[in-house]
Amino acid sequence: MPEQHHQATPSPLVGVSYVMPVLNDATHVRQAVESILAQDYEGPVEVLIALGPSIDGTGELVADLADRDARVRVLDNEVGSTPAGLNLGIRAAVHPVVVRVDSHSMLPAEYTRIAVDVLERTGADNVGGIMDAQGITPFQQAVALAYTTKVGLGGGSFHVGGEAGPADTVYLGVFRREALLRVGLFDERIKRGQDWELNRRLRAAGGLVWFTPELAVTYRPRATLERLARQMFSTGLWRGELARSFPGASGIRYFVPPLMVVGVFVGLVLGIAGLVQVAVGATPWLLLGFAIPAVYLVFVILATLLYARGHGVRTALWFLVVLPCIHVFWGAGFVPGYLSLTSNIAQHTGR
């Protein structure tokens, strides 16, 4: 289908609706909302918080934010999922530009001004930039390093940067509301990876998805190893589901972690079988299987020396743990997702 990009139409005061799904995130949501209200954008704005059924005080916190500023509205997201909250906010939005915001993210003051300018100059349906992961604790700093290097999450432009231009997907997104309505909003069946799938439909309909490194959004990684592992397993599971559902749209880099997991597992099994050969007096040629996990271990050590050097001993030590955690749990999730072995994938949201 030929591309049908919108013509650039100067409109510096176009209205903007910020949409933020929130569920049990009292730790971060206030900072996220404050970063929205501190934008230097001069056009009319509203902030729509799609509140899921929370039990950690998030409801009271966002109600207080709404009481303090008339631009903030709280919507009841009974379903609780991210795509359901996004769709709720988009439908309720009154302005033609929709800015997706994550409760773990903090927008720089110039974010909206730059995004709307790029949206209008390019005629794109969606504009986005970099997920600038920044940690506070040594553990979070290690996760942030892994996120922003090619050895961590695969080197996508919205993680490691790159030149401005058309892209398959971008982080978060600043959308034309009419384009979202035209393609049917977010698919609420997809609990993770819904951004990628929506951008796929925007591009299939002739729209333009545009990446610009000018937009860098601060992101706070998960605070514990257990939460990171759960997030990575869920992300890998849904990526496997999407790769199976849309085989022509998934790059080869998505298959590297699962192949690594399978390879290391097979290598360990063969190596253990080699130890049995030693015990029974047979030629222990299966010990060669240990070479596979050994090669991966060397890779992790070299990556730590390359990327974590200069970030402190504690961060470097955590990087030795974080990098395999990301690879193993992402890859271990991808396999059952791709092979459709999970009975209720919708339960896996990565929270």
Side-chain angles (χ1 to χ4, degrees), residues 21-25 50 52 77 80-83 102-104 191-192 222 226-228 230-231 234 347-351:
V22 177
L23 175 66
N24 287 326
D25 204 356
N77 177 18
S81 71
T82 295
D102 187 274
S103 60
H104 276 245
K191 300 303 187 289
R192 296 192 70 84
R222 297 299 194 269
E226 184 267 339
R227 292 186 67 188
L228 176 66
R230 191 163 65 236
Q231 178 193 22
S234 176
Q347 289 183 339
H348 297 270
T349 62
R351 293 188 179 276

Side-chain angles (χ1 to χ4, degrees), residues 149-162:
T149 61
K150 292 185 177 181
V151 298
L153 291 178
S157 59
F158 65 91
H159 286 301
V160 300

Side-chain angles (χ1 to χ4, degrees), residues 120-144:
E120 295 181 337
R121 283 193 291 107
T122 61
D125 282 338
N126 182 18
V127 169
I130 299 171
M131 185 182 80
D132 184 18
Q134 296 183 18
I136 299 174
T137 66
F139 172 79
Q140 285 183 312
Q141 290 167 4
V143 177

